[in-house]
Amino acid sequence: MNGRRPRFTTMLAASAVGVYLLVVAGATTSIADAVHACSTWPTCEGPILGDVGLAIAWTHRLLAAAVGALVVGAAVVGVRTGARRRVLGTLAVALALYPVQIALGAFVALNGAGAPFPGAHLATGMAIFAALVGALAWQLEAETGTDDETPVTETIEVPEIDDEPEGPPIGALSTRERITATAFAYFRLMKPRLMWLLCLVAAAGMALAAAHVATGPANPSLATSTILLTLGGGVLAIGASGTFNHVLERDIDKRMDRTSDRPIATHQLPVRNALAFGIALAVASLALFWQVNAIVAALGLAAILFYSVVYTLVLKPNTVQNTVIGGFAGSLPALIGWVAVTGSFDLPGLALAGIIFLWTPAHFYNLALAYKEDYAKGGFPMMPVVRGETETRKHIVYYLGATLIAAGVMVSITSLGALYTVTTALLGAVFLWAVVRLHRERTEQAAFRAFHASNAYLGALLIAIVVDALAV
């Protein structure tokens, strides 16, 4: 394959982004209300200047026509370039559904937004987007995949943990240096780099819940104490989970370059002290969560146990699906934030947790690609180690598409506005661009670029949720 970017793949990616923008914009309440200002079809009557609703309606319809032409163009180019049958078949599904989507949009414009047509309009749009993402994933696999990868067996034996220290906890340091080094070692046990994102997930859950209950019969305020107790408990829970992970993987950490300098692996801290530290953090976390409500405390305990025991001891060393199932741990802060405000579960909170769950493989598989050899040395059956890099890259596209669909569903069941819509469409496009680049370049640098793009997408999306929800 030459260095020139294939036109067909570019058109597929652009078509997917265009369809996604149309769908999430159409599902956003403020934009949808403006679109409904035009009750005729296919054109809108009246002057555009001075009428924001008509201007938005015209923009939506012209964009729909342009994206439709792009999808048709992609299909033509695909046929002419001899794309694989399943790529063309999936693209044909998108082409067949597009007129259905147009018809549903026309019906809503002419007859109002009565159920079930807006829901059918959204579902059809998401089906078109899913078909385009599937076609893109398979086309990228055909263009950039290799058949010479030699995956290992799915279950790999992890070496036994050795409790014997290899040296003193801290070298010959002054008292002040020793205290500073020890304090920093305990801080590292808590995995602080994970805290900002997971706390942001909980904050988004709280903001979303506050906006949700504000429209219902009960209208409790988002108390400062609730925010502080929930985020404080979250920080301690993350710290406890990270500490237990360090303790349980201390011997394996020595085998991997990226973890060989961890505090317990290098015997900076005794295992007994680290374990006591983790237990203290867990107890303190649950004490704070309990002051919010019992369900939050139960979810906090579940998060600690799932990451520390289920993921670390059961999933991570034994199955290639460890990242997918392990995403449950990352999704729990969304539920914790929601339940902290409402005291119960509801659809928007579950939808936010679903976004995190689906985003996790699309995010972490990039890191697994970058550290493939390291994970193999550690004995972990990560997707690139077991199934190969080609399959891993394809699954990143799958889960990215699923994440964007879940984010689109969130629009339809909440009152989130234009900021959220623009964020998920724009940053989602950047994420997709980085993943396409990953397929093309297939380097460690490209994997890290996609990894950072995934962080940027979720971080910006969560901030948009907080701002949009609290601005309602």
Side-chain angles (χ1 to χ4, degrees):
M1 189 182 79
N2 58 36
R4 186 178 59 188
R5 179 181 302 169
R7 183 171 57 167
F8 179 45
T9 304
T10 302
M11 294 179 73
L12 277 177
S15 297
V17 171
V19 168
Y20 186 71
L21 176 60
L22 284 170
V23 172
V24 294
T28 304
T29 303
S30 58
I31 299 177
D33 289 344
V35 170
H36 295 150
C38 176
S39 58
T40 57
W41 195 87
T43 61
C44 297
E45 297 178 356
I48 298 178
L49 295 177
D51 192 329
V52 177
L54 286 180
I56 293 177
W58 267 110
T59 302
H60 187 80
R61 294 183 186 186
L62 291 174
L63 182 59
V67 173
L70 185 59
V71 174
V72 172
V76 171
V77 172
V79 171
R80 288 183 175 178
T81 56
R84 291 185 176 181
R85 289 179 59 184
R86 64 176 179 175
V87 174
L88 295 177
T90 311
L91 189 52
V93 172
L95 279 172
L97 288 176
Y98 211 89
V100 177
Q101 176 78 340
I102 293 174
L104 288 170
F107 187 89
V108 171
L110 295 172
N111 299 282
F117 294 100
H121 189 55
L122 173 65
T124 305
M126 287 300 184
I128 296 170
F129 173 72
L132 291 171
V133 169
L136 177 63
W138 290 331
Q139 179 62 23
L140 287 169
E141 179 187 30
E143 290 177 359
T144 66
T146 57
D147 297 325
D148 57 353
E149 296 174 350
T150 55
V152 299
T153 57
E154 181 167 339
T155 302
I156 303 174
E157 283 209 17
V158 178
E160 293 293 327
I161 294 176
D162 180 13
D163 287 325
E164 292 298 322
E166 296 177 356
I170 303 285
L173 301 174
S174 68
T175 302
R176 181 176 179 178
E177 289 173 332
R178 186 163 55 251
I179 292 173
T180 302
T182 301
F184 184 66
Y186 278 110
F187 179 69
R188 289 185 63 198
L189 287 181
M190 300 172 67
K191 295 194 173 182
R193 285 184 293 182
L194 297 178
M195 288 180 179
W196 74 270
L197 190 59
L198 292 176
C199 285
L200 192 54
V201 172
M206 286 189 283
L208 199 62
H212 178 76
V213 298
T215 62
N219 188 11
S221 61
L222 185 55
T224 302
S225 60
T226 300
I227 298 173
L228 294 178
L229 288 170
T230 303
L231 295 183
V235 167
L236 295 173
I238 296 164
S241 300
T243 299
F244 293 142
N245 176 265
H246 276 253
V247 169
L248 294 170
E249 291 186 350
R250 61 190 182 275
D251 193 60
I252 302 170
D253 284 343
K254 300 174 186 177
R255 301 164 61 93
M256 300 174 60
D257 294 336
R258 65 182 292 261
T259 59
S260 60
D261 65 339
R262 286 180 171 176
I264 304 179
T266 56
H267 301 285
Q268 290 177 272
L269 299 173
V271 174
R272 181 182 302 175
N273 292 6
L275 187 59
F277 180 64
I279 293 173
L281 290 174
V283 171
S285 169
L286 297 179
L288 294 183
F289 280 150
W290 184 263
Q291 294 181 62
V292 180
N293 62 58
I295 302 178
V296 168
L299 289 172
L301 178 60
I304 294 171
L305 292 177
F306 188 89
Y307 184 80
S308 304
V309 179
V310 178
Y311 175 71
T312 300
L313 292 181
V314 179
L315 297 175
K316 190 175 180 181
N318 292 308
T319 174
V320 71
Q321 296 300 327
N322 49 24
T323 301
V324 176
I325 305 172
F328 178 71
S331 67
L332 282 174
L335 297 179
I336 289 173
W338 179 273
V339 174
V341 175
T342 65
S344 61
F345 299 98
D346 210 337
L347 189 57
L350 294 171
L352 179 59
I355 292 173
I356 308 303
F357 180 83
L358 294 169
W359 168 86
T360 301
H363 163 75
F364 189 78
Y365 281 159
N366 296 290
L367 196 66
L369 283 169
Y371 292 118
K372 174 186 174 182
E373 300 301 326
D374 219 14
Y375 280 118
K377 286 195 297 183
F380 293 122
M382 298 302 182
M383 175 74 78
V385 177
V386 175
R387 302 281 176 81
E389 296 183 17
T390 298
E391 192 73 10
T392 304
R393 291 193 299 269
K394 182 173 67 176
H395 276 76
I396 292 173
V397 180
Y398 288 162
Y399 280 104
L400 170 55
T403 300
L404 294 178
I405 289 174
V409 171
M410 175 72 82
V411 177
S412 67
I413 61 175
T414 65
S415 57
L416 293 172
L419 176 62
Y420 176 88
T421 298
V422 171
T423 301
T424 187
L426 180 61
L427 273 296
V430 172
F431 191 1
L432 181 61
W433 166 82
V435 171
V436 172
R437 287 280 302 274
L438 171 63
H439 279 76
R440 301 245 173 268
E441 299 174 15
R442 302 184 293 282
T443 63
E444 181 178 307
Q445 180 183 8
F448 277 119
R449 183 192 301 121
F451 174 80
H452 293 309
S454 69
N455 268 333
Y457 170 77
L458 187 63
L461 190 75
L462 295 171
I463 292 172
I465 289 175
V466 172
V467 175
D468 246 351
L470 296 183
V472 172

